[in-house]
């Protein structure tokens, strides 16, 4: 009974299930925000009414089927759950009122420490990012939604509990249209004097589904949300519905929590005909990356989990991961080349672009190894993920242009996430040769003969570019999205919560010659590259404002899924 309750109530489960839980007032603090659709973006706080009704049942039909949580602002209903009494005593219940009124952006100290776990090395503890300490007066990060400015401590009337209305209007649904990009240049090339074989069209989704564990860890980012919208069961049902409706042939998911993957996500996707692969992060965080594909469309050639953590390499001391799959399109004539699908979630920390670049280098080296053909060329690559970097940032530029001159670049500028200050500057070489990855992002084989090692190392350092202020890679990648909306010219948003509204998610791919997004100098043939046929349009800040930001009643992550359709042509020698 208690276990069930814990699973269903995101804001409580984490604390209640861990030893040494904070006192009840900390648990209750998470409900200590006000929520009213339509008022969220207004200049005035809502008129507080209906104190005894925590939230509407009319607004969440599915929620009625779940056991109801106790009213968050009603102390006796908490006691009735049997969950809290052993952790509380009368003094705390007396203080409850006053403590809850403090709806400042400040996190409880033990919570702040926890929420940045895995993002920072022990030596870094004193350097705190402004993101991590959301105190009053902190500069808002670049991309922070203006329309969320009112969700602050000052919006809540002092001395009163925040309250939710008895009945709330449903959040309007976000509309996203399909952008057809299959213009004549994208059509199948004509084959002289022979029967044309059909191309292989397939769709790819990239989606950060917001792990429940991270949602709880960073609860202050979701104060604008209606609490039941953050309930995992509600979110899971929306997410799985969306995945089923979009029905992508290949899906790259990030922030997939291991227990949810094993118990719910994998069984559901398998029943929809998907083969599922998963790589959990190293360290203590329970989420990871999943790549799933339709069994009727592809068969698995090989699967390569990638851990970025390397003992003894200071730049690779974080627990982020990637997952690389080699897939064979199912086709009776065997006319198609394999495709390499990679998924990752790079480090969040806005100041540590040096680490993000090193993680990316490890992933690119693995992709190059997996995708390389006997003649040294590469099969088509689709690289999806949450890169925690914005368009046109140095990291983004590196992926697309295959080269980055990095010398003197502040590490806080690499991802472009925010105007964070930082002391670190990138210097040559960006990562040590001992990592075994060249400055061209390829794995190197270590020299076996110790006698020649030193001389060889020096010579190799010269050849491999370890003395040059630049890094390169050999994959020709382009982004499937253009990062600006066609109609309005406004920036596309892939992630949005109370402190940010930016693009950090991408689908990069090997574009074939003539593809709409291909570089003018691209020379990749249509059977070794992909043509973008269409994509599910993203939205801008204005559209997200109308739906209360993310997550909301219908969109159950703080990211939106990216969805594209590609065409691969059959090999002509077959
Ligand atoms: O930006 V993300 O959310 O791609 O949606 O990636 C990270 C952040 C994710 C994995 O580490 O957790 C979120 N402030 C804001 N968000 C954070 C923080 C933080 N201090 N730490 C982790 N995340």
């Amino acid at each position: 009974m208690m276990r069930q309750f814990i699973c269903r109530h995101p804001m409580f489960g984490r604390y209640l299930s861990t030893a040494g839980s904070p006192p009840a007032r900390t648990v209750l603090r998470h409900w200590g925000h006000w929520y009213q659709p339509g008022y969220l973006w207004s200049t005035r706080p809502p008129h507080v009414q209906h104190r005894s009704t925590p939230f509407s049942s009319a607004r969440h039909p599915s929620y009625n089927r779940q056991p109801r949580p106790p009213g968050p602002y009603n102390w006796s209903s908490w006691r009735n759950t049997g969950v809290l009494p052993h952790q509380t005593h009368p003094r705390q219940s007396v203080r409850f009122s006053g403590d809850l009124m403090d709806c400042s952006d400040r996190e409880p100290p033990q919570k702040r420490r926890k929420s940045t776990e895995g993002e920072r090395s022990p030596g870094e503890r004193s350097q705190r990012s402004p993101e991590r300490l959301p105190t009053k007066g902190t500069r808002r990060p670049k991309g922070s939604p203006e329309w969320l400015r009112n969700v602050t401590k000052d919006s809540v009337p002092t001395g009163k509990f925040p309250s939710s209305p008895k009945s709330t209007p449903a959040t309007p649904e976000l509309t996203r249209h399909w952008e057809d990009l299959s213009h004549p240049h994208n059509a199948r090339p004509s084959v002289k004097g022979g029967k044309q074989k059909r191309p292989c069209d397939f769709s790819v989704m990239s989606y950060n589904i917001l792990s429940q564990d991270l949602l709880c860890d960073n609860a202050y980012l979701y104060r604008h949300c209606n609490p039941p919208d953050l309930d995992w069961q509600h979110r899971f049902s929306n997410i799985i519905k969306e995945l089923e409706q979009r029905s992508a042939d290949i899906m790259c998911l990030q922030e997939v929590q291991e227990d949810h993957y094993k118990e719910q996500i994998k069984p559901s996707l398998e029943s929809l005909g998907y083969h599922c692969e998963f790589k959990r992060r190293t360290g203590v965080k329970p989420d990871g990356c999943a790549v799933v594909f339709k069994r009727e469309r592809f068969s698995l050639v090989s699967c390569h989990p990638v851990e970025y953590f390397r003992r003894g390499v200071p730049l690779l001391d974080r627990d982020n991961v990637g997952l690389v799959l080699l897939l064979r399109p199912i086709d009776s004539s065997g006319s198609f080349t394999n495709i390499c699908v990679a998924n990752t979630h790079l480090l969040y920390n806005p100041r540590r672009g040096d680490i993000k670049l090193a993680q990316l280098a490890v992933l690119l080296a693995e992709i190059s190894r997996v995708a390389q053909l006997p003649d040294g060329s590469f099969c088509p690559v689709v690289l999806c993920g949450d890169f925690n970097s914005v368009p046109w940032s140095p990291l983004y530029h590196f992926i697309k242009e295959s080269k980055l001159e990095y010398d003197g670049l502040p590490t806080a500028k690499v991802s472009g996430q925010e105007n964070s200050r930082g002391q670190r500057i990138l210097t040559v070489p960006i990562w040590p040769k001992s990592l075994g990855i060249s400055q061209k992002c390829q794995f190197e084989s270590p020299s076996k003969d110790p006698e020649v090692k030193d001389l060889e190392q020096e010579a190799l350092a010269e050849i491999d570019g370890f003395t040059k202020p630049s890094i390169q890679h050999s994959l020709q990648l382009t982004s499937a999205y253009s990062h600006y909306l066609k109609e309005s010219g406004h920036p596309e948003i892939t992630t949005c919560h109370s402190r940010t509204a930016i693009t950090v998610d991408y689908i990069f791919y090997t574009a074939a010659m003539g593809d709409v997004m291909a570089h003018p100098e691209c020379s990749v043939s249509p059977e070794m590259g992909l043509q973008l046929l269409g994509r599910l349009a993203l939205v801008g800040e204005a559209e997200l404002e109308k739906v209360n930001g993310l997550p909301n009643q219908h969109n159950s992550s703080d990211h939106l899924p990216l969805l594209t359709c590609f065409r691969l042509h059959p090999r002509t020698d077959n």
Side-chain angles (χ1 to χ4, degrees):
M1 163 65 205
M2 165 132 168
R3 174 119 207 108
Q4 274 183 346
F5 181 83
I6 285 169
C7 293
R8 290 204 171 101
H9 298 288
M11 298 316 223
F12 316 121
R14 178 169 188 79
Y15 291 120
L16 298 176
S17 58
T18 48
S21 302
R25 62 191 170 86
T26 311
V27 175
L28 285 156
R29 184 187 291 271
H30 292 295
W31 294 89
H33 58 76
W34 56 266
Y35 165 82
Q36 258 183 330
Y39 283 108
L40 184 59
W41 326 120
S42 75
T43 49
R44 284 180 301 116
H47 177 61
V48 178
Q49 290 173 334
H50 312 308
R51 188 178 290 187
S52 60
T53 311
F55 37 72
S56 158
S57 55
R59 193 163 182 272
H60 301 281
S62 63
Y63 195 69
N64 284 337
R65 275 178 259 123
Q66 309 288 347
R68 286 180 70 83
Y73 313 120
N74 179 335
W75 186 238
S76 60
S77 72
W78 273 104
R79 284 224 298 266
N80 293 341
T81 65
V83 175
L84 294 177
H86 63 284
Q87 294 167 347
T88 58
H89 48 81
R91 193 163 54 86
Q92 276 172 340
S93 69
V94 169
R95 289 175 54 193
F96 161 66
S97 152
D99 284 336
L100 256 187
M101 274 173 270
D102 174 25
C103 293
S104 77
D105 276 349
R106 219 171 238 292
E107 287 296 289
Q110 62 270 63
K111 175 113 184 36
R112 280 205 302 275
R113 231 172 291 127
K114 229 175 181 175
S115 74
T116 54
E117 230 172 59
E119 287 282 321
R120 192 193 298 137
S121 68
E124 260 187 282
R125 293 216 181 269
S126 57
Q127 297 181 10
R128 299 200 155 193
S129 143
E131 274 285 296
R132 288 165 203 290
L133 286 170
T135 50
K136 206 181 162 196
T138 302
R139 285 183 315 156
R140 299 186 77 78
K142 197 155 83 181
S144 176
E146 284 290 307
W147 31 280
L148 282 160
R149 185 178 285 164
N150 301 309
V151 188
T152 62
K153 176 188 175 183
D154 297 334
S155 300
V156 181
T158 335
K160 287 185 183 157
F161 293 129
S163 171
S164 297
K166 209 168 232 161
S167 106
T168 51
T171 309
E173 288 204 41
L174 198 60
T175 45
R176 296 180 63 185
H177 65 272
W178 185 257
E179 274 183 83
D180 185 359
L181 301 167
S182 57
H183 71 108
H185 284 303
N186 251 356
R188 204 184 315 167
S190 60
V191 176
K192 285 178 210 143
K195 249 199 336 182
Q196 261 186 3
K197 287 181 197 156
R198 279 202 298 164
C200 168
D201 292 352
F202 62 95
S203 52
V204 179
M205 175 186 277
S206 181
Y207 191 13
N208 178 326
I209 62 169
L210 177 58
S211 110
Q212 198 66 19
D213 182 73
L214 287 169
L215 186 156
C216 294
D217 265 4
N218 300 298
Y220 69 94
L221 301 174
Y222 309 105
R223 285 212 181 116
H224 60 288
C225 303
N226 182 15
D229 291 346
L230 301 179
D231 172 274
W232 168 246
Q233 294 308 329
H234 172 83
R235 296 205 307 114
F236 170 69
S237 128
N238 270 350
I239 288 166
I240 206 75
K241 237 184 281 163
E242 170 135 43
L243 299 186
E244 184 177 4
Q245 278 164 7
R246 303 288 186 198
S247 190
D249 298 309
I250 300 170
M251 300 196 283
C252 293
L253 307 176
Q254 304 87 35
E255 286 195 31
V256 179
Q257 194 170 309
E258 192 174 40
D259 54 340
H260 293 155
Y261 172 75
K262 285 186 178 156
E263 289 158 25
Q264 294 171 289
I265 297 169
K266 188 172 189 238
S268 304
L269 291 178
E270 280 177 345
S271 74
L272 293 172
Y274 287 93
H275 174 105
C276 303
E277 294 289 339
F278 174 74
K279 172 61 189 165
R280 186 191 153 144
R281 289 208 226 187
T282 51
V284 293
K285 295 276 179 207
D287 68 296
C289 293
V291 180
V292 309
F293 59 87
K294 285 199 183 146
R295 288 189 298 264
E296 60 175 28
R297 299 297 318 276
F298 297 96
S299 62
L300 181 66
V301 179
S302 55
C303 174
H304 312 261
V306 183
E307 293 183 356
Y308 300 136
F309 183 91
R310 298 288 158 94
R311 200 171 298 283
V313 181
L315 271 185
L316 290 170
D317 63 348
R318 308 307 162 96
D319 293 314
N320 308 77
V321 293
L323 185 55
V324 183
L325 265 58
L326 192 60
L327 301 180
R328 178 177 300 130
I330 291 180
D331 163 67
S332 53
S333 59
S335 312
F336 299 99
T337 182
N338 291 338
I339 59 167
C340 177
V341 178
N343 183 21
T344 193
H345 187 185
L346 297 184
L347 181 76
Y348 164 76
N349 193 329
R351 289 168 298 114
R352 297 307 305 269
D354 49 344
I355 299 181
K356 294 183 207 229
L357 282 172
Q359 293 184 341
L360 182 61
V362 176
L363 183 65
L364 291 171
E366 187 65 28
I367 295 171
S368 300
R369 178 156 68 185
V370 173
Q372 193 148 36
L373 299 167
D375 67 357
S377 66
F378 298 98
C379 74
V381 172
V382 181
L383 168 57
C384 296
D386 175 344
F387 292 78
N388 271 313
S389 302
V390 303
W392 327 124
S393 62
L395 186 137
Y396 172 91
H397 176 92
F398 175 55
I399 296 175
K400 275 191 59 170
E401 304 303 321
S402 303
K403 186 165 181 179
L404 178 68
E405 306 271 350
Y406 64 82
D407 197 21
L409 183 66
T411 64
K413 295 271 176 256
V414 169
S415 69
Q417 278 155 298
E418 59 177 66
N419 300 311
S420 49
R421 283 165 285 204
Q423 308 300 321
R424 283 170 219 257
I425 299 285
L426 292 174
T427 53
V428 185
I430 186 168
W431 55 77
K433 196 160 165 48
S434 61
L435 179 58
I437 293 177
S438 74
Q439 302 289 286
K440 289 184 172 169
C441 296
Q442 307 262 1
F443 286 118
E444 295 177 315
S445 41
S447 168
K448 285 185 191 114
D449 186 349
E451 296 280 315
V452 287
K453 211 168 176 182
D454 284 352
L455 266 177
E456 204 177 299
Q457 288 289 324
E458 263 175 52
L460 276 177
E462 196 67 48
I463 294 161
D464 296 343
F466 277 88
T467 56
K468 281 198 206 138
S470 65
I471 46 171
Q472 293 171 41
H473 69 82
S474 310
L475 305 168
Q476 298 184 54
L477 297 170
T478 192
S479 168
Y481 282 83
S482 47
H483 317 308
Y484 288 98
L485 297 169
K486 225 178 181 174
E487 299 79 20
S488 64
H490 292 152
E492 292 173 343
I493 305 297
T494 70
T495 182
C496 167
H497 51 61
S498 64
R499 290 182 63 78
T500 200
I502 50 174
T503 281
V504 294
D505 304 276
Y506 302 90
I507 298 179
F508 295 105
Y509 67 102
T510 313
M513 211 180 343
D515 173 63
V516 272
M517 305 300 280
H519 198 274
E521 283 158 33
C522 167
S523 59
V524 179
S525 69
E527 63 243 41
M528 280 300 159
L530 304 173
Q531 294 188 322
L532 183 65
L533 298 181
R535 64 188 171 215
L536 184 63
L538 280 161
V539 297
E541 239 185 271
E543 291 84 355
L544 285 166
E545 181 177 351
K546 290 186 194 126
V547 298
N548 264 353
L550 296 174
N552 60 45
Q553 186 185 359
H554 310 289
N555 307 97
S556 283
S557 170
D558 56 353
H559 291 246
L560 291 174
L562 277 62
L563 180 64
T564 53
C565 186
F566 293 110
R567 171 163 292 177
L568 176 64
H569 286 283
R571 284 183 293 221
T572 44
D573 59 357
N574 233 293

